[in-house]
Amino acid sequence: MANLNINGKMLDLKVDGDTPLLWVIREQAGLTGTKYGCGVGQCGACSVQINGELQRSCTISVKDVKAADKIMTIEGLSADSSSPVQKAWLALDVPQCGYCQSGQIMAATALLAKTPKPSDADIDAAMTNICRCGTYQRIRAAVHMAADMKKA
Amino acid sequence: MKNVKQNSNSTAQQVSRRTIVGASAVGGLALGVGAGGLITKALAQKVLADATTAGEVSAWVVIAPDDQVTIRIARSEMGQGTLTGLAQMVAEELECDWTKVKAEYPTPGQNLARNRVWGDMSTGGSRGIRGSQDYVRQGGAAARGMLLQAAATLWGVPVDELKAENSTVTHAKSGKSTTYGKLVGEASKLPVPDLKTVKLKDPSAWKLIGKAGVKRLDTADKLNGKQVYAIDLKLPDMLTATIMDAPVFGNKLKSYDEAKVKAMPGVKGVYKVGDTAVAVVAETFWQAKKGLDALSPVWDETANNKVSTASIAELLKAGLTSNEGIFTGNKAGDADAAIATSAKKISATYDSPYWNHVTMEPMNCTAKWTADKCEVWVATQNGDASLAATAEASGLPPSKCEVYKVHLGGGFGRRGFQDYTTKAVLLAKQLPGIPVKTIWTREEDMRQGRFRPVSQCKLDAGLDAQGNITGFKMRISGPSILTAVAPSRLNKDGSDPAAYQGLNADGPEGQFGYDIADRSIEYAMRNLHIPVGFWRGVNNNQNAVYLECFMDELAKEAGQEPLAFRRKMMAKYPKHLGILNAVAEKIGWETTKPADGVFRGIAQHMGYGSYVAAAAEVSVSDRGKLKVHRLVMGTDCGYAVNPDQIEAQVQGSVAYGLGASLYQKITIKDGRVVEENFDTYESMRLEDFPKIETVLKPSGGFWGGVGEPTICVAAPAVLNAIFAATGKPVRSLPIRDVKLRA
């Protein structure tokens, strides 16, 4: 059993304690915006925020998450895709296949929370998620655009 | 994206796999392309009537009373933007309001039942646009004609006095005006005109095709988790499975610890899949995975267990000089004699490794089997092939099978192969009535690839006293893709035409761009048990590296700079030369010097109907660390449908192709793949992504592909820049494994 606070909702879920948080989010909580890409913390498709910190949910066992921990997934980022990062992503048509983009958006959101006006080097260092389609140039531009929106 | 509303009245005709996969002739039933197949006209018409959804004007166009236009798309969207591009082409001719356009997929079963009215569903070879541009535009134009005719009849005026624009028909003389939504009821009752009579717009009149800033139709749901990929699918009472196939491809499964695993929490059963694979079915993925991890499967051993990267290299190396199993492609004159009498003789041997596609979404497929029907939900690049695979594995005729295409988390060629569909159906058949989603782990996805073939290439050339090439020979040695996956497409002599991509004397699939009278391009076919497949760019990737890097070696031997050395052989190939010059101009090849310590390289190629070139600026540190500072990527794809998406594809091709060239190789040890995940099979990340400038120069008059062509030139341009920086050619990939400084 697990008591989890996901996107502000308390959920009482029947699940084995060693299950990675990723699969609990996807299968028990039914929030499939968080993706499975590697299962070993390499690709970042499973990125979520826990208490405001960016985390790769495929490497966290659900038993290590407390009921008081606040988990935020892509579905919790905004009610209507209105966060600056989502708006910038839309304006620049960033996604191609889109599979990694939930993770990319979560990573960009976490970066801007800590570094409101990131340089290219800041973006390079923070955005380590893999995109096989190669949307990187637009990701970089969209992070800058989102930073400008937040500032405005 | 939704699938077209299901037609419940399935036909009972038997259609062979060949009919489904191979059909491509033009049929006259409804609008579009179809094949006669085995469906009689009367039967087909009955099915058409049943399947027609309200508001369907032509097979491609459905209009709602509120003017919302739904455009049917047969090809698969996997990120490349073809869904938007194809919709633009229909809308261009339809003259509809682009802000009220959405797209949907017809199902392969509907395509079959409607006499293949939507044509080929296969999405590969950069053919999404270029392979269907004519009939999708005709589909839009025919629907516009029917709407105009409906208005003409309504108002009692000649149809040629009417104008269609922005989903509105107007009659200037009377001042009458109405919308498509109001005309659709009458228009859809009209006969669909013969395609041959449909006149298409002159390209000069295009408003939507080629326009900058046309947004994708499919972005919004990818920003908030709403987009449903195949792996996200939920069905009532669904179970989830994970699977492991023989790590040494083809070896038979001998035993596994079923008793132990069956007792584990959530596990519903352990099932053999075919002769070589085993799957654990459970309530959740993690339970299935824990079960598989505890299963200890054992396979038999064969001679293939002795195959390794080193043994493969030996086999391929022997092919470089062997007289057995050799095919000749582009040949003219007598290259051997010309080289033998040359002032200078140059020889080099290159090699490149197996690569895996590694789509972000691992292979997966959901199947539900009963004795009367088999349904499959799958991310596929080829809906027709998925239906054929479903029919074959289910033991049911295609008319009792249906495939629902679900959004793809990447394709790159991998999802054209239906091995994952076959396995999912074979498993579901053992649990009748229960939908079973089979998800491959990343590790399984890495091991069970359809790999870009390993190869070696020996190049020989002669130079005369003025530094001109006298004779040129290229011998490629490696496995054949078509022998493995489509033997019907081999040349009559058994040779693989795909082996010569980009090196052919003529043709849209890659014309050799250098005028060398005495030349011979040969192929030593050396097949192995490791499955090979079409990997974005396919054999153009290595062929362009071999040819273009050797050109730089020859230029250096001739004492000439690489651009001038190429130009003097390219007068007969103005399109190749045109894009090469455009790229050279953009990077400032002849006008500016790069920064201190930065060196330039250039390359050109032709593939998938398009002419491409690249120029790179790189530095190599004293310790041999490479940095790519700048890449100029050029393409002449004839007509450019969506410039923004072409730019995105060009950038993506660099991440995919240059990323592989920098970091990736699949190693074979004891007959099996060694790499299992991104920690050992690295992908390009943002910090390594160079700044890319795209030069889009569509010269018109032809339709070239976009998704693949530029991938072929990114790596050779960078390799040539490294050669310029270090004076030492890089002849082996990945670059990471090469010591760039002594």
Side-chain angles (χ1 to χ4, degrees):
Chain A
M1 296 296 286
N3 280 304
L4 297 180
N5 179 339
I6 305 181
N7 301 330
K9 261 193 219 166
M10 282 310 298
L11 301 172
D12 195 6
L13 303 168
K14 184 171 164 278
V15 62
D16 303 330
D18 65 350
T19 309
L21 178 61
L22 163 68
W23 291 101
V24 179
I25 289 170
R26 287 181 55 80
E27 296 191 321
Q28 273 79 29
L31 298 169
T32 54
T34 305
K35 301 301 189 203
Y36 168 61
C38 69
V40 295
Q42 278 284 324
C43 78
C46 66
S47 298
V48 298
Q49 284 189 21
I50 302 177
N51 302 324
E53 290 289 324
L54 189 67
Q55 301 277 358
R56 294 194 167 165
S57 64
C58 73
T59 56
I60 300 168
S61 291
V62 70
K63 66 175 181 304
D64 297 327
V65 184
K66 297 178 215 64
D69 290 331
K70 288 181 181 150
I71 302 161
M72 186 172 75
T73 71
I74 184 77
E75 291 88 350
L77 198 54
S78 69
D80 49 4
S81 299
S82 60
S83 78
V85 172
Q86 287 167 306
K87 276 158 69 180
W89 250 243
L90 181 67
L92 297 182
D93 252 352
V94 171
Q96 291 186 29
C97 91
Y99 192 83
C100 75
Q101 296 296 341
S102 296
Q104 303 281 6
I105 288 169
M106 296 306 285
T109 303
L111 164 65
L112 291 175
K114 287 196 172 142
T115 313
K117 192 75 189 153
S119 64
D120 276 349
D122 293 332
I123 295 170
D124 286 0
M127 300 290 292
T128 59
N129 295 18
I130 292 173
C131 171
R132 294 288 291 153
C133 295
T135 60
Y136 297 123
Q137 194 150 323
R138 290 192 181 185
I139 286 176
R140 192 181 276 134
V143 172
H144 286 304
M145 182 187 265
D148 290 343
M149 278 184 206
K150 283 184 88 163
K151 219 173 128 197
Chain B
M1 280 292 300
K2 287 190 174 62
N3 284 300
V4 179
K5 191 169 132 276
Q6 257 319 96
N7 167 29
S8 57
N9 190 351
S10 293
T11 56
Q13 77 283 0
Q14 299 277 334
V15 180
S16 72
R17 183 188 167 93
R18 180 163 294 275
T19 307
I20 300 172
V21 176
S24 66
V26 175
L29 169 67
L31 196 64
V33 176
L38 301 178
I39 310 170
T40 67
K41 200 174 176 197
L43 177 60
Q45 277 168 342
K46 180 183 177 306
V47 173
L48 176 67
D50 290 337
T52 300
T53 46
E56 177 175 310
V57 184
S58 76
W60 301 95
V61 174
V62 178
I63 301 175
D66 65 355
D67 294 334
Q68 179 75 47
V69 174
T70 302
I71 294 176
R72 305 244 178 86
I73 304 292
R75 311 277 179 168
S76 297
E77 174 60 51
M78 50 192 152
Q80 83 279 40
T82 210
L83 181 94
T84 304
L86 287 169
Q88 278 176 259
M89 299 174 93
V90 175
E92 176 73 59
E93 294 290 342
L94 180 61
E95 292 285 1
C96 65
D97 178 355
W98 178 249
T99 63
K100 290 187 178 174
V101 166
K102 60 180 179 153
E104 70 177 11
Y105 289 140
T107 71
Q110 289 166 337
N111 200 27
L112 178 63
R114 293 182 63 173
N115 209 12
R116 296 181 56 79
V117 66
W118 290 287
D120 191 356
M121 291 194 155
S122 167
T123 314
S126 297
R127 278 191 301 270
I129 301 279
R130 68 182 174 123
S132 48
Q133 51 82 19
D134 49 357
Y135 56 78
V136 301
R137 286 190 293 146
Q138 285 160 349
R144 182 190 68 218
M146 293 159 75
L147 290 156
L148 285 168
Q149 186 56 54
T153 306
L154 178 70
W155 295 332
V157 299
V159 72
D160 56 12
E161 289 181 3
L162 299 175
K163 191 182 176 199
E165 195 170 29
N166 207 28
S167 294
T168 303
V169 177
T170 51
H171 184 237
K173 278 189 186 170
S174 64
K176 282 180 176 158
S177 169
T178 188
T179 66
Y180 283 4
K182 295 196 176 76
L183 292 167
V184 66
E186 289 307 310
S188 61
K189 291 177 196 160
L190 296 172
V192 179
D194 182 352
L195 287 186
K196 294 190 197 85
T197 68
V198 174
K199 194 173 174 299
L200 296 177
K201 281 185 187 177
D202 185 83
S204 62
W206 286 339
K207 290 178 282 192
L208 199 52
I209 296 175
K211 189 180 165 189
V214 176
K215 294 284 177 191
R216 291 179 69 115
L217 295 171
D218 57 345
T219 296
D221 284 355
K222 293 174 180 172
L223 308 177
N224 52 24
K226 281 187 187 149
Q227 177 71 59
V228 175
Y229 296 82
I231 200 170
D232 303 329
L233 199 83
K234 290 171 219 165
L235 293 171
D237 304 319
M238 185 176 80
L239 294 175
T240 301
T242 195
I243 191 166
M244 187 170 180
D245 209 330
V248 182
F249 309 98
N251 282 5
K252 303 274 186 290
L253 184 63
K254 268 168 65 178
S255 66
Y256 47 87
D257 195 348
E258 182 172 359
K260 178 175 153 198
V261 172
K262 270 179 95 168
M264 291 172 69
V267 171
K268 298 291 183 182
V270 181
Y271 299 89
K272 211 175 156 184
V273 178
D275 294 331
T276 60
V278 61
V280 176
V281 179
E283 290 170 14
T284 70
F285 172 79
W286 194 250
Q287 291 166 337
K289 186 185 180 297
K290 274 169 56 179
L292 194 70
D293 288 347
L295 196 59
S296 312
V298 177
W299 285 268
D300 67 0
E301 293 204 5
T302 63
N304 290 336
N305 287 62
K306 295 195 171 64
V307 175
S308 68
T309 293
S311 76
I312 294 167
E314 282 303 308
L315 178 79
L316 267 50
K317 190 181 169 195
L320 296 177
T321 50
S322 169
N323 293 320
E324 285 172 33
I326 308 302
F327 299 95
T328 303
N330 182 358
K331 183 178 166 66
D334 187 340
D336 283 320
I339 295 169
T341 57
S342 295
K344 208 168 189 179
K345 301 174 192 65
I346 299 106
S347 186
T349 301
Y350 283 71
D351 65 79
S352 56
Y354 284 115
W355 285 336
N356 192 329
H357 297 82
V358 202
T359 58
M360 280 310 298
E361 179 194 19
M363 296 302 111
N364 68 91
C365 176
T366 302
K368 183 183 172 188
W369 186 93
T370 66
D372 305 314
K373 192 166 176 77
C374 185
E375 292 173 285
V376 157
W377 294 260
V378 65
T380 176
Q381 285 179 244
N382 189 344
D384 299 326
S386 301
L387 183 63
T390 300
E392 197 162 287
S394 68
L396 294 168
S399 57
K400 292 191 174 183
C401 299
E402 186 55 292
V403 168
Y404 309 102
K405 287 164 61 176
V406 191
H407 199 84
L408 291 79
F412 314 117
R414 179 64 183 88
R415 286 187 157 102
F417 302 102
Q418 295 305 308
D419 51 314
Y420 58 104
T421 304
T422 297
K423 289 177 200 174
V425 172
L426 289 174
L427 175 60
K429 201 176 168 182
Q430 301 178 62
L431 295 98
I434 301 171
V436 181
K437 174 157 71 178
T438 303
I439 301 174
W440 294 19
T441 61
R442 171 59 64 201
E443 291 78 9
E444 181 71 357
D445 188 275
M446 193 70 83
R447 286 188 297 261
Q448 299 295 331
R450 291 293 177 272
F451 304 94
R452 190 288 295 262
V454 63
S455 70
Q456 293 183 15
C457 182
K458 182 173 185 291
L459 299 111
D460 292 278
L463 292 173
D464 66 18
Q466 288 74 45
N468 299 309
I469 296 180
T470 55
F472 177 85
K473 270 187 80 172
M474 196 167 170
R475 165 76 68 89
I476 302 159
S477 178
S480 153
I481 299 172
L482 291 179
T483 301
V485 306
S488 65
R489 286 164 59 191
L490 290 172
N491 292 332
K492 274 186 190 146
D493 65 356
S495 177
D496 181 344
Y500 308 112
Q501 282 184 313
L503 308 171
N504 297 305
D506 209 345
E509 297 316 311
Q511 184 187 37
F512 190 73
Y514 300 110
D515 186 13
I516 303 171
D518 293 289
R519 62 181 186 268
S520 180
I521 294 167
E522 301 164 356
Y523 173 45
M525 190 191 287
R526 296 294 182 267
N527 295 322
L528 291 143
H529 76 291
I530 294 135
V532 289
F534 305 113
W535 189 102
R536 190 177 189 175
V538 194
N539 292 320
N540 283 296
N541 284 296
Q542 65 272 19
N543 289 352
V545 165
Y546 300 154
L547 173 61
E548 287 300 288
C549 293
F550 190 58
M551 278 294 162
D552 267 36
E553 292 199 44
L554 294 178
K556 189 176 184 190
E557 291 289 343
Q560 297 173 19
E561 70 85 18
L563 177 62
F565 183 73
R566 283 177 172 78
R567 276 176 178 161
K568 62 182 183 178
M569 295 182 283
M570 294 178 73
K572 287 185 184 168
Y573 303 98
K575 290 196 174 81
H576 293 72
L577 181 60
I579 197 66
L580 180 67
N581 282 337
V583 158
E585 188 185 341
K586 177 79 177 174
I587 206 159
W589 192 272
E590 295 167 297
T591 51
T592 65
K593 277 197 185 320
D596 279 352
V598 175
F599 294 83
R600 286 176 181 156
I602 201 161
Q604 66 84 23
H605 196 69
M606 189 225 173
Y608 307 99
S610 292
Y611 303 82
V612 294
E617 289 186 354
V618 314
S619 60
V620 180
S621 75
D622 292 345
R623 290 172 154 191
K625 189 170 163 41
L626 170 71
K627 181 162 176 63
V628 182
H629 299 271
R630 187 182 171 204
L631 257 180
V632 173
M633 304 288 302
T635 181
D636 176 0
C637 54
Y639 293 115
V641 176
N642 189 317
D644 285 14
Q645 286 310 307
I646 292 171
E647 181 193 65
Q649 285 307 292
V650 169
Q651 292 171 3
S653 76
V654 172
Y656 204 72
L658 183 60
S661 300
L662 286 168
Y663 310 120
Q664 295 170 2
K665 69 172 174 190
I666 289 290
T667 311
I668 306 297
K669 186 166 181 268
D670 302 328
R672 56 178 283 170
V673 170
V674 173
E675 289 76 14
E676 295 199 317
N677 212 315
F678 287 114
D679 50 354
T680 46
Y681 192 82
E682 284 182 39
S683 195
M684 184 180 264
R685 296 177 198 250
L686 194 145
E687 68 170 330
D688 296 326
F689 195 69
K691 184 178 171 232
I692 293 166
E693 296 151 61
T694 301
V695 177
L696 180 54
K697 289 254 179 211
S699 59
F702 65 98
W703 296 85
V706 166
E708 292 169 279
T710 47
I711 199 171
C712 317
V713 284
V718 167
L719 290 166
N720 285 340
I722 296 171
F723 182 37
T726 65
K728 209 170 78 175
V730 177
R731 294 176 177 157
S732 183
L733 295 177
I735 297 169
R736 191 187 58 183
D737 289 359
V738 178
K739 219 173 164 189
L740 298 182
R741 296 274 188 204

